[in-house]
Amino acid sequence: MPLLEIRGLQTWFETRAGTVKAVNGVDLSIERGETVALVGESGSGKSVTAYSVLRLIEAAGGRIAGGEVLFDGTDMLRLDLASLRAVRGNRIAMIFQEPLSALNPVQSIGTQIVEALRLHRDIGLRAARERAVELLELVRMPSPRERLEEYPHRLSGGMRQRAMIAIALACEPDLLIADEPTTALDVTTQAQILDLLRELQGRLGMAMLLITHDLGVVAETADRVAVLYAGRVVEQGPVETLFDAPAHPYTRGLLDAVRIEELPPGSRLPEIPGMVPSLLALPPGCAFAPRCPRATPACDAGPPAMRAGGEGRLHACFNPWLSTVEGRVPA
Amino acid sequence: MAGAAVKRRGLRSFLLRRLWQVVPVLFGIAALNFLILQVAPGDVVDVLAGEAGAATPEYMAQLRAAFGLDQPVPVQFAHYIWNLVTLDLGFSFRQNMPVLELIMSRLPATLLLMLAALAIAVTLGSLIGVVAATRVRSWVDTLLSGFVLLTYAVPTFWLGLMAIVLFSAVLGWLPSGGMYTVGAGLTGFALVGDVLAHLLLPALTLSTFYLAVYARLVRSSMLELYGADFIRTARAKGAGEWRITLVHAFRNALLPMVTMLAYQSASMLSGAVLVETVFSWPGLGRLAFEAIRTRDLNLLLGILFFSSVVVVLVNLLVDLVYVLIDPRVDPTARRA
């Protein structure tokens, strides 16, 4: 049984203009100890999927309209609030994009770690503070004991994200959801934080759902990758084989867009023509069909189902690229 | 731990620096006061002569010399400033008492009224704001917001009069005015109880307007904070709604509230004029009202100056509170 299994998840936002189907039938599973990357452009539904797992989406004005989120066999969507709170921060923890705004500005780092501990463990204040120092050591915060008294605004971006990770790891979760954890950081700090996450994951044996739009980060960090487009997973599989031979035309377009070093100088940069469809009015067939170079009339008839492509690969496409030989460099 | 020591030291120098900044402010207020005195037609001698019914020009000149009013304006200004420095606010010829003594006799009553009203406004306002925010767009929110709008819109003096009619005249539960029962000779707890009974109506009346301001401020700050990233973090940590509301959101909503407190300390003094008059509360506000009515210029200017001092000090106190409750305010920084 996978640690986390998302089946047919639908998360919608009701707006004045109509129902925005931000996540529209996502299927995804994560095994214990595994890192799965969720990639896609802005608005593809990556973060909404992540927030839906912990049901944080209701406070953000969204509604989970359907599907199942099975965590260790229990459907998170059916839990009562008390049982849900017992999972949040305890068995599934989360870190965020902007560590400064994600930390409470008027509480010290120590207080915020201690809170995470004491919400789920029967532990005294003194013991919790000692444990907080250990956690800060674990995330390699310089002079951890002094940092307990420090407030978020006095720390650097990297140190804030380290503090955030220490909070998330307080109860040794089985699954860490990292929502673009390095986007707000500079490049050197990004590398350090990713190294730290990889190392901690190995040491603590936890699974990680990494949300990112940075394909380089995916290649370095993840075991498997799922590509999201307009609220659906269009392709997933092991990072290496998927990056080597993407089956879905959208994945191929994404990968081509980052391989600009391989282009002859002066040539036109590759792009995916057209725009992401409005989530208010998705096309009846494949959402990518209007922009797809391989689209046929069949693509507009109905959404393609997820099909197995061998070696643990899955793709939702009527006309996938199946051979690794076929057209590596775009015309 | 080292941070705390640094902060304490920073706090002391911050206080000293702010106290120095108070000096030019007070000088400015004094200069403005003096200007008003100069621009106003006539002087104390004219008033005295008018009241006596008749006075010879020689006698008036003699009086002016005695009061120093025949001297050039800069000299008079220097005298005035020196008097202020030595806390000599002049003499009220109406009340036949030194102004300072009059003010000091009325100050405790006003402070008591203001603090009580402020306490009611802050407590009740926060409570209403928090409850309305947690049940936003429900009937509870609508009801509370309606009530708040009403207390905001109703004139204070009218509300005071109606309160007297209802609670004193019709129901007879509370006294209609004054600060204690005259001639009762109460002591100890009985006296405290008596003063509290007299305080309740005026404090509630004075608090209504401010209560509305706080309730609206807290409601909107809480709603804004509910969307904040760190509230989402608290949820992701597994914190319950009460914890999120009080420990995370309300704690941060305190910051704009304290700012508002500084603004309101001034307006509350002027609000006290009406309430003290309606409830015949023996405070500074009513003294100011009487001073205006009887053209007791010395007393009026004394009260104005003194109120300015109080407002400046309250603002200083609020700045200090700000340093204590918001770690982002750095007292060691040269510019706040």
Side-chain angles (χ1 to χ4, degrees), chain B residues 33-67:
Chain B
N33 264 354
F34 182 76
L35 200 70
I36 293 170
L37 201 71
Q38 289 297 316
V39 170
D43 58 16
V44 187
V45 176
D46 288 326
V47 175
L48 281 181
E51 275 173 17
T56 59
E58 291 76 27
Y59 177 61
M60 285 174 73
Q62 198 185 332
L63 271 179
R64 286 207 167 88
F67 292 142

Side-chain angles (χ1 to χ4, degrees), chain A residues 289-318:
Chain A
R291 307 171 70 185
C292 184
R294 293 168 73 90
T296 59
C299 298
D300 294 324
M306 198 61 110
R307 278 184 275 182
E311 298 171 38
R313 301 275 304 270
L314 291 166
H315 56 79
C317 181
F318 293 117

Side-chain angles (χ1 to χ4, degrees), chain A residues 51 54 56 59 85 88-90 92 94 96 98 101-107 112-113 115-116 119-120 129 149 151 153 164 167, chain B residues 1 3 7 226 228-241 243 247-249 251-252 255 325-330:
Chain A
Y51 291 140
L54 277 179
L56 291 169
R85 280 210 304 273
R88 285 176 177 172
N90 186 19
I92 306 180
M94 195 157 178
F96 303 92
E98 274 288 351
S101 58
L103 291 165
N104 190 333
V106 299
Q107 282 188 347
Q112 301 190 49
I113 301 176
E115 181 187 37
L119 278 169
H120 301 288
R129 288 180 71 84
E149 309 294 329
Y151 290 91
H153 72 281
M164 200 63 227
I167 292 171
Chain B
M1 314 287 162
K7 188 156 185 171
Y226 275 133
D229 285 356
F230 64 86
I231 296 295
R232 184 185 60 194
T233 306
R235 280 216 173 82
K237 278 160 115 178
E241 282 308 309
R243 197 177 168 78
V247 178
H248 294 280
R251 173 66 180 77
N252 277 278
L255 308 178
I325 67 169
D326 189 348
R328 284 165 298 185
V329 177
D330 183 4

Side-chain angles (χ1 to χ4, degrees), chain A residues 209-328:
Chain A
L209 177 62
L210 178 70
I211 289 124
T212 181
H213 55 251
D214 187 335
L215 297 176
V217 169
V218 176
E220 283 172 47
T221 316
D223 303 309
R224 279 194 310 122
V225 58
V227 181
L228 238 67
Y229 185 78
R232 274 169 184 269
V233 175
V234 293
E235 180 165 13
Q236 59 173 301
V239 172
E240 270 177 38
T241 61
L242 192 141
F243 274 24
D244 276 350
H248 197 284
Y250 176 63
T251 317
R252 175 156 297 224
L254 277 187
L255 288 167
D256 283 340
V258 294
R259 286 210 177 93
I260 47 173
E261 310 90 67
E262 296 171 15
L263 292 174
S267 58
R268 211 181 141 80
L269 294 178
E271 57 170 348
I272 302 174
M275 300 261 291
V276 182
S278 162
L279 296 171
L280 282 163
L282 289 167
C286 171
F288 189 60
R291 307 171 70 185
C292 184
R294 293 168 73 90
T296 59
C299 298
D300 294 324
M306 198 61 110
R307 278 184 275 182
E311 298 171 38
R313 301 275 304 270
L314 291 166
H315 56 79
C317 181
F318 293 117
N319 309 301
W321 299 82
L322 287 176
S323 135
T324 44
V325 198
E326 205 181 343
R328 209 19 281 139

Side-chain angles (χ1 to χ4, degrees), chain B:
Chain B
M1 314 287 162
V6 168
K7 188 156 185 171
R8 243 195 322 279
R9 208 169 328 124
L11 211 59
R12 197 177 309 140
S13 74
F14 166 80
L15 248 184
L16 280 174
R17 204 161 62 243
R18 285 306 312 266
L19 274 173
W20 271 116
Q21 285 169 359
V22 164
V23 173
V25 171
L26 289 184
F27 184 81
I29 292 166
L32 215 61
N33 264 354
F34 182 76
L35 200 70
I36 293 170
L37 201 71
Q38 289 297 316
V39 170
D43 58 16
V44 187
V45 176
D46 288 326
V47 175
L48 281 181
E51 275 173 17
T56 59
E58 291 76 27
Y59 177 61
M60 285 174 73
Q62 198 185 332
L63 271 179
R64 286 207 167 88
F67 292 142
L69 293 173
D70 56 344
Q71 283 169 338
V73 174
V75 177
Q76 284 191 49
F77 182 63
H79 267 293
Y80 177 71
I81 293 296
W82 177 247
N83 283 345
L84 286 184
V85 169
T86 53
L87 277 180
D88 179 3
L89 295 180
F91 195 82
S92 163
F93 298 99
R94 285 281 172 188
Q95 315 261 356
N96 217 11
M97 260 170 100
V99 168
L100 186 68
E101 209 171 294
L102 264 172
I103 290 176
M104 282 307 174
S105 71
R106 297 294 194 94
L107 187 66
T110 289
L111 283 182
L112 180 67
L113 179 64
M114 274 178 65
L115 286 178
L118 215 56
I120 294 172
V122 167
T123 326
L124 227 57
S126 307
L127 197 70
I128 291 175
V130 168
V131 171
T134 50
R135 292 171 179 53
V136 67
R137 281 188 283 279
S138 71
W139 65 268
V140 179
D141 179 28
T142 313
L143 194 77
L144 287 176
S145 297
F147 169 73
V148 161
L149 189 66
L150 200 72
T151 60
Y152 188 74
V154 168
T156 313
F157 68 90
W158 183 83
L159 196 70
L161 289 173
M162 290 305 117
I164 292 175
V165 168
L166 181 62
F167 293 103
S168 308
V170 178
L171 296 170
W173 290 352
L174 291 165
S176 64
M179 193 167 160
Y180 29 76
T181 313
V182 178
L186 298 167
T187 50
F189 284 118
L191 179 65
V192 172
D194 188 44
V195 170
L196 282 182
H198 281 82
L199 178 64
L200 190 60
L201 279 186
L204 269 175
T205 306
L206 182 57
S207 75
T208 51
F209 177 83
Y210 304 94
L211 180 153
V213 173
Y214 282 122
R216 288 161 70 140
L217 184 72
V218 169
R219 180 179 176 273
S220 65
S221 336
M222 290 290 287
L223 287 180
E224 202 183 311
L225 284 162
Y226 275 133
D229 285 356
F230 64 86
I231 296 295
R232 184 185 60 194
T233 306
R235 280 216 173 82
K237 278 160 115 178
E241 282 308 309
W242 274 110
R243 197 177 168 78
I244 287 167
T245 299
L246 295 179
V247 178
H248 294 280
F250 184 61
R251 173 66 180 77
N252 277 278
L254 281 179
L255 308 178
M257 251 173 89
V258 169
T259 312
M260 187 56 84
L261 209 74
Y263 279 116
Q264 288 191 336
S265 61
S267 94
M268 204 163 224
L269 263 176
S270 46
V273 175
L274 284 176
V275 173
E276 285 179 3
T277 307
V278 169
F279 287 95
S280 48
W281 185 261
L284 267 188
R286 207 169 118 226
L287 192 66
F289 180 70
E290 282 160 16
I292 295 169
R293 215 166 42 87
T294 58
R295 286 178 230 296
D296 194 340
L297 221 51
N298 259 357
L299 178 58
L300 186 62
L301 288 180
I303 293 173
L304 285 182
F305 182 75
F306 205 82
S307 318
S308 315
V309 174
V310 169
V311 170
V312 167
L313 288 181
V314 167
N315 273 280
L316 188 68
L317 201 71
V318 167
D319 279 353
L320 206 63
V321 170
Y322 226 106
V323 172
L324 294 178
I325 67 169
D326 189 348
R328 284 165 298 185
V329 177
D330 183 4
T332 52
R334 296 304 298 173
R335 284 183 178 277

